[in-house]
Amino acid sequence: MDKLLIEGGRRLIGEVEVSGSKNSALPIMAATILAEGVHRLGNVPELKDVETFSALLSSLGCGVESVGDGTLTVDSTEIGEPVAPYELVKTMRASILVLGPLVARCGRARVSLPGGCAIGARPVNLHLKGLELMGAEVRIEHGYIDVRAEKLKGVHIYLDYPTVTGTENLMLAATLASGETLIENAALEPEVVELARALKKMGATIDGEGTDRIRIRGVEGLNPLEYTVMPDRIEAGTLMVASAMTRGNVLIKNCPHEYMDSVVTKLGEAGTEVEKEDGGIRVVGSYPIRSVDIKTYPYPGFPTDMQAQMMAMMCMSTGLSVITETVFENRFMHVAELKRMGADIMVDGRYAIVKGRERLSGAPVMATDLRASASLVLAGLVADGQTEVSRIYHLDRGYERLEEKLRCLGAEIKRVKE
Ligand code: UD1
């Protein structure tokens, strides 16, 4: 297992490029199941989760090939047994995204039921409720979700919560259903909009993406897709916080700032300068960092995937910051580790109260989930002395070459084998 060694105290200066979005690449990869033929996806990030999803598509009978330069081809001319096994689903919950497209194309699917995960129970009941409304028979047996439907039918689905992958799964399924599907209280995330764009390019009829009412009129068949994946707004946000926390001056290129208002606003309130300029977004950090309160919400609210990183920044602020996590019930796993670095944080249910400190001190810490690992790396960049972040396979799931990018900006960070 690899770990990261970080020597804190370096200002980050220079230019960095944001990679393709993980949360956009995965549903678009799932969309390739819907149409026979060879699909070509560009700007796909090289990440563990993309590797796992590729393995899943291969196990379904697709030919998946990385042809260099972030381009992935998926040959989904033939689909074999529509089964997503436990071994793959347990390492990546987003595997559930194959459920809708498999049922739509094959009339049946068997996908391992994702278990709980570090950040909460994360059920998939809304995905299943939607499919049942569309006429599918859903059974849970031996840890697997078994779904059968001769032909899905268009219906009116109201989601109790605007679940992101739930909206995506149902949108994918509805593209080949008979008649019109209306998804109400749909997720508004930019990645949902991107998926709709990709599906439309394949010949789907969709409108209302980006609003809470998405309408999909089913079609007989779809065509192979050529698509370039959008840049990753969470990676971009993480790099912004890195610059802000280290009193850095970083030009973030290929930054999807149009989707980042909530993060940019909070950084501004904390005293960070964020300016648009030719070629990207410049982020200039300065001390003291002002404390700000943060409450996570579905898009366009502050993203839960940026909560841990902002908390790391608030550990260095001048006052008290109240951080409220409303999306996941257990997403404060990083608190115990940040405390090992001297942070002063109190957690009570969905609230974390962070009392800013002048310094953090380097310590051995353990990554617990994807974004928690990023917060520990950020804390390490400013802590006195050395921080050792272990279990960074979590980080590798969702960040492409993060330590290399930070090193190019002047951070003293290296990867070593444990
Ligand atoms: C997606 C993102 C993840 C992000 C999250 C919230 C991908 C691959 N992952 O995850 O990075 O943190 O959105 O922005 O895009 N829920 C139910 N029943 C369901 C589905 C969800 O109760 O059927 C609940 C969950 O437990 C959670 C909340 O809804 O409390 C939000 O989850 P959801 O939007 O589904 O997150 P994901 O799609 O899993």
Side-chain angles (χ1 to χ4, degrees):
M1 258 193 281
D2 294 356
K3 63 182 176 186
L4 289 178
L5 296 183
I6 309 164
E7 204 63 53
R10 310 284 181 273
R11 288 182 69 194
L12 299 191
I13 293 175
E15 297 182 2
V16 66
E17 180 126 5
V18 178
S19 299
S21 159
K22 167 178 94 69
N23 287 355
S24 182
L26 301 179
I28 291 175
M29 287 171 78
T32 63
I33 293 173
L34 292 166
E36 287 179 22
V38 181
H39 310 258
R40 200 176 170 85
L41 310 182
N43 201 31
V44 180
E46 259 184 60
L47 305 170
K48 189 69 194 158
D49 273 9
V50 166
E51 212 179 277
T52 307
F53 213 93
S54 300
L56 178 54
L57 290 177
S58 304
S59 80
L60 293 169
C62 301
V64 186
E65 212 182 323
S66 171
V67 294
D69 220 12
T71 302
L72 202 70
T73 59
V74 181
D75 183 348
S76 55
T77 308
E78 285 188 33
I79 300 277
E81 261 310 283
V83 177
Y86 177 62
E87 291 66 43
L88 291 171
V89 179
K90 75 172 184 208
T91 60
M92 189 186 58
R93 294 180 42 87
S95 308
I96 191 74
L97 283 166
V98 299
L99 184 62
L102 281 177
V103 181
R105 172 148 173 200
C106 311
R108 66 191 172 94
R110 200 169 137 77
V111 174
S112 170
L113 193 62
C117 68
I119 64 175
R122 291 181 94 172
V124 290
N125 56 315
L126 301 175
H127 303 229
L128 304 185
K129 193 173 138 194
L131 288 172
E132 270 180 331
L133 283 170
M134 295 174 85
E137 188 191 320
V138 178
R139 281 204 294 191
I140 296 183
E141 265 176 358
H142 310 297
Y144 277 78
I145 308 163
D146 251 308
V147 182
R148 274 166 200 276
E150 209 58 356
K151 174 94 177 162
L152 292 167
K153 59 176 196 298
V155 283
H156 184 166
I157 301 169
Y158 169 79
L159 294 174
D160 294 336
Y161 189 92
T163 156
V164 178
T165 48
T167 302
E168 291 167 345
N169 226 342
L170 296 172
M171 192 158 76
L172 287 158
T175 54
L176 295 179
S178 60
E180 186 177 283
T181 301
L182 173 66
I183 307 177
E184 271 204 88
N185 199 25
L188 311 182
E189 267 68 5
E191 293 76 12
V192 174
V193 176
E194 281 292 298
L195 175 63
R197 277 191 194 138
L199 288 169
K200 286 202 250 191
K201 240 190 138 192
M202 295 169 78
T205 314
I206 302 175
D207 65 66
E209 67 275 18
T211 76
D212 58 2
R213 283 163 70 90
I214 304 179
R215 209 178 285 275
I216 306 117
R217 184 177 290 282
V219 292
E220 277 307 313
L222 295 169
N223 309 311
L225 174 68
E226 245 188 65
Y227 206 78
T228 304
V229 173
M230 69 184 281
D232 196 306
R233 64 192 167 102
I234 305 302
E235 188 204 352
T238 305
L239 292 167
M240 283 183 179
V241 176
S243 181
M245 280 179 79
T246 60
R247 288 182 300 126
N249 184 337
V250 175
L251 180 69
I252 303 180
K253 291 156 75 173
N254 201 27
C255 181
H257 59 91
E258 62 275 31
Y259 304 124
M260 297 180 66
D261 283 352
S262 58
V263 172
V264 168
T265 301
K266 284 293 161 189
L267 284 172
E269 286 174 17
T272 307
E273 267 178 53
V274 183
E275 295 290 339
K276 200 168 162 216
E277 67 175 54
D278 264 1
I281 299 291
R282 185 166 296 280
V283 182
V284 182
S286 58
Y287 290 171
I289 293 172
R290 287 198 290 270
S291 58
V292 293
D293 293 338
I294 288 152
K295 193 167 185 175
T296 66
Y297 279 113
Y299 188 84
F302 191 91
T304 172
D305 284 352
M306 280 301 298
Q307 179 256 106
Q309 300 88 316
M310 261 332 254
M311 186 186 289
M313 179 160 164
M314 287 304 109
C315 291
M316 300 278 295
S317 73
T318 47
L320 270 189
S321 156
V322 179
I323 300 185
T324 313
E325 173 58 59
T326 77
V327 179
F328 291 110
E329 69 269 28
N330 189 25
R331 206 169 195 179
F332 284 138
M333 308 279 287
H334 41 286
V335 168
E337 301 300 308
L338 288 171
K339 277 176 146 179
R340 303 199 68 250
M341 301 178 71
D344 187 346
I345 309 170
M346 197 193 79
V347 172
D348 185 3
R350 292 189 170 229
Y351 303 96
I353 296 160
V354 185
K355 204 165 163 188
R357 285 255 160 119
E358 218 156 89
R359 318 204 91 77
L360 292 175
S361 60
V365 287
M366 216 155 56
T368 48
D369 72 61
L370 172 50
R371 306 304 169 186
S373 353
S375 76
L376 300 176
V377 172
L378 294 173
L381 293 177
V382 293
D384 286 342
Q386 194 180 68
T387 298
E388 214 181 282
V389 187
S390 55
R391 299 205 179 163
I392 55 161
Y393 51 85
H394 290 292
L395 195 74
D396 294 336
R397 280 191 41 215
Y399 286 94
E400 187 179 57
R401 301 179 289 106
L402 183 66
E403 82 272 14
E404 241 178 87
K405 292 187 184 186
L406 293 173
R407 202 179 313 119
C408 289
L409 293 171
E412 215 176 305
I413 178 169
K414 66 177 176 206
R415 180 182 285 254
V416 293
K417 295 256 173 251
E418 236 168 333

